[in-house]
Amino acid sequence: MERPGLASLASAGLPLDNRIVARTLARQRARQFPPPAGDRQIRRLTAMAAPKTKEKAASSGKKDDSKKLTDQLAKEVRTRAGTLVTKINAALTKARADAVKQAKAELEKKAKKEAKGGKPDSKELAKKKTDLEKRIPSFKAAISDNVESSGLRAATEQAYYAIKGWSSTCSSAHMRRAAIHVPVTATRSGKTKTILHKKTNLLKFFPAKYSHADHLDEKKEVWSIMSYADFAKEWASAVKGAKLANWAGTKPDLAPEDPWHVELPRKAVKGGVDKEDVVKKTRPGRSDSEVKACVENYAEYVALTDGLPKGRKLKRNKKIETNYKSLFDKKFKAAKAKVDAERKKAVEEAEKAAKAEAKDKKADPKVKKAKTEEATKKLDADLEKRAKKLVNKMNPDPSRFTLEK
């Protein structure tokens, strides 16, 4: 129905409100002098785009700020790691010089003892000392430049470390580029070895018990110049002096489960990190989307493998499940419910097939059991395949970490 104009309202004796008059005149003018179609289209598109553009700009600004922060943290941790390298290498060089000196003294003592009061052959002793020095290893620390060490770690990549049992957190400093790795290598008789993570590997190069006299045995490969306790002391001193911390972010101590990981400190350390050296926002908060995504991916993988036969299911990361208990329980429960529904459906279909096979008779229990086991086995294989696909998708560096097959 057509709306009444001003004339019809007036003739009906109705009072004319100024706002009604203004709106009506505006509509009539718009009908009489419509703007070009192109102008209308531009105005409509502009109006539609305006809120989105504003929203996009805000989002872009947030991303820019985030990148600026991670770039600053990455620069700062690399600078401090450079100081660590200088300090620990100086300590390692000194330790080797002491080892060489003490081992040569032990060799000379042994030679005099073997001479039984006589004088050892000077040329032979000199040669033995030269050979001895060549056998004593040298150690060197350097900043690692691989992606695992210095790159920005995504939530899915952090979940990969949690699944593998290599990390106990979904809020790593690597997720803000506030951490870096400074591995130590050893070189002996022209052969170089990188000292891998974990205390068992550290003990091969820095044993619990060490003696400089160990190097005198020519047939024995001795890859050490100091004890574990001495190395741990030197490492902690260097980390503290470089204003850094271990994986916990609060201590400079050597962490045997992840020794070469250092990060910007979140807490002052007596004798090393002052309040002004402490860095904020080195890790995502527990309520951040990255942390939630990490826990969710871990929980999904656990749910997929939880019902698999022994040897094929995941060895659960208890620290992750404890540290993020409420979030993990929620995500795991939801993911497990889906898997349980699949298992229930597979069993029901197997029983239905056994019943159909028996026709009008009662299904044979043996046939029913066989079909149920077959369906379960088939579903297990599918769940395992999906779990491997999921973890391979999370793999941060397939060139270094083997893909699941």
Side-chain angles (χ1 to χ4, degrees):
M1 185 175 72
E2 190 176 328
R3 293 184 179 182
L6 289 177
S8 57
L9 287 171
S11 62
L14 296 173
L16 296 179
D17 185 272
N18 289 337
R19 287 172 296 178
I20 295 175
V21 173
R23 281 199 300 269
T24 305
L25 287 173
R27 285 195 208 102
Q28 289 175 351
R29 183 174 177 79
R31 281 196 295 269
Q32 290 172 2
F33 306 102
D39 290 349
R40 288 201 303 271
Q41 181 73 359
I42 290 170
R43 282 203 298 271
R44 187 165 68 250
L45 289 174
T46 304
M48 289 170 64
K52 292 183 181 178
T53 304
K54 190 176 180 181
E55 185 181 317
K56 189 175 180 181
S59 175
S60 177
K62 189 177 180 181
K63 286 181 180 178
D64 289 343
D65 289 343
S66 179
K67 186 179 184 304
K68 187 178 180 181
L69 172 65
T70 56
D71 286 348
Q72 287 173 345
L73 294 175
K75 184 179 179 181
E76 183 61 26
V77 76
R78 182 171 283 273
T79 300
R80 296 191 190 187
T83 302
L84 166 62
V85 168
T86 302
K87 288 181 177 294
I88 193 62
N89 281 343
L92 290 168
T93 300
K94 183 180 181 300
R96 184 182 185 274
D98 290 343
V100 170
K101 183 180 178 181
Q102 295 297 328
K104 284 182 177 180
E106 290 291 335
L107 179 63
E108 195 168 334
K109 191 189 296 182
K110 183 183 177 184
K112 285 179 180 179
K113 190 176 180 181
E114 288 174 350
K116 297 178 180 179
K119 194 175 181 181
D121 185 283
S122 58
K123 285 186 178 180
E124 186 181 343
L125 183 58
K127 185 180 182 305
K128 283 185 177 181
K129 283 184 177 180
T130 301
D131 292 340
L132 173 64
E133 186 170 353
K134 288 178 181 178
R135 293 199 304 271
I136 297 176
S138 60
F139 291 78
K140 185 181 180 182
I143 295 173
S144 173
D145 279 320
N146 63 41
V147 176
E148 176 197 6
S149 166
S150 56
L152 181 65
R153 191 177 292 176
T156 52
E157 293 171 341
Q158 188 60 35
Y160 180 87
Y161 285 88
I163 288 168
K164 291 295 180 181
W166 300 340
S167 179
S168 60
T169 183
C170 268
S171 181
S172 170
H174 283 294
M175 298 166 82
R176 287 289 183 269
R177 291 188 72 194
I180 203 165
H181 292 180
V182 183
V184 175
T185 57
T187 302
R188 183 183 185 276
S189 302
K191 188 177 181 181
T192 300
K193 292 183 179 181
T194 298
I195 305 173
L196 303 176
H197 293 279
K198 295 186 179 180
K199 190 172 182 178
T200 50
N201 295 315
L202 285 173
L203 288 171
K204 293 176 183 177
F205 298 88
F206 306 105
K209 291 182 180 180
Y210 166 78
S211 172
H212 296 306
D214 295 341
H215 294 287
L216 270 57
D217 189 344
E218 296 178 28
K219 295 179 181 179
K220 190 177 179 182
E221 274 197 25
V222 180
W223 282 84
S224 50
I225 55 173
M226 65 174 82
S227 68
Y228 178 83
D230 288 339
F231 174 69
K233 186 179 178 181
E234 292 291 355
W235 180 265
S237 176
V239 171
K240 187 187 286 186
K243 313 293 184 185
L244 289 167
N246 62 19
W247 63 265
T250 56
K251 297 178 181 179
D253 306 342
L254 178 70
E257 63 274 25
D258 196 1
W260 313 137
H261 172 112
V262 289
E263 61 182 67
L264 296 173
R266 296 182 291 140
K267 186 178 178 183
V269 178
K270 189 177 180 181
V273 181
D274 297 321
K275 286 183 179 180
E276 59 268 24
D277 299 311
V278 173
V279 182
K280 295 180 179 179
K281 297 181 180 179
T282 59
R283 299 181 176 205
R286 294 178 73 87
S287 60
D288 282 13
S289 58
E290 301 125 291
V291 176
K292 291 178 180 177
C294 172
V295 176
E296 186 171 2
N297 275 278
Y298 170 79
E300 185 180 350
Y301 186 85
V302 174
L304 288 171
T305 62
D306 192 55
L308 297 180
K310 193 176 181 181
R312 289 162 64 192
K313 65 169 65 179
L314 173 74
K315 185 180 178 182
R316 306 270 288 262
N317 191 325
K318 294 299 179 184
K319 287 185 178 179
I320 288 288
E321 295 177 24
T322 302
N323 293 343
Y324 306 92
K325 191 177 187 313
S326 58
L327 181 58
F328 168 76
D329 287 348
K330 181 183 177 182
K331 298 297 182 182
F332 175 69
K333 186 179 179 181
K336 188 71 164 55
K338 291 180 182 178
V339 174
D340 289 343
E342 287 186 63
R343 289 193 177 282
K344 185 180 178 182
K345 186 179 178 182
V347 171
E348 287 174 349
E349 288 181 352
E351 290 176 349
K352 189 177 179 181
K355 191 176 181 181
E357 199 173 285
K359 295 182 179 178
D360 296 330
K361 298 177 182 179
K362 190 177 180 181
D364 187 336
K366 289 183 178 179
V367 174
K368 188 177 177 181
K369 183 182 178 183
K371 286 193 176 294
T372 301
E373 287 178 350
E374 184 184 352
T376 301
K377 189 177 180 181
K378 186 177 179 182
L379 180 60
D380 282 347
D382 181 58
L383 290 170
E384 188 174 15
K385 185 179 178 181
R386 280 153 56 186
K388 287 178 179 179
K389 186 177 180 181
L390 177 66
V391 79
N392 284 340
K393 195 175 179 181
M394 298 178 196
N395 191 322
D397 189 358
S399 67
R400 300 184 67 242
F401 307 126
T402 308
L403 292 169
E404 300 285 341
K405 293 181 181 178

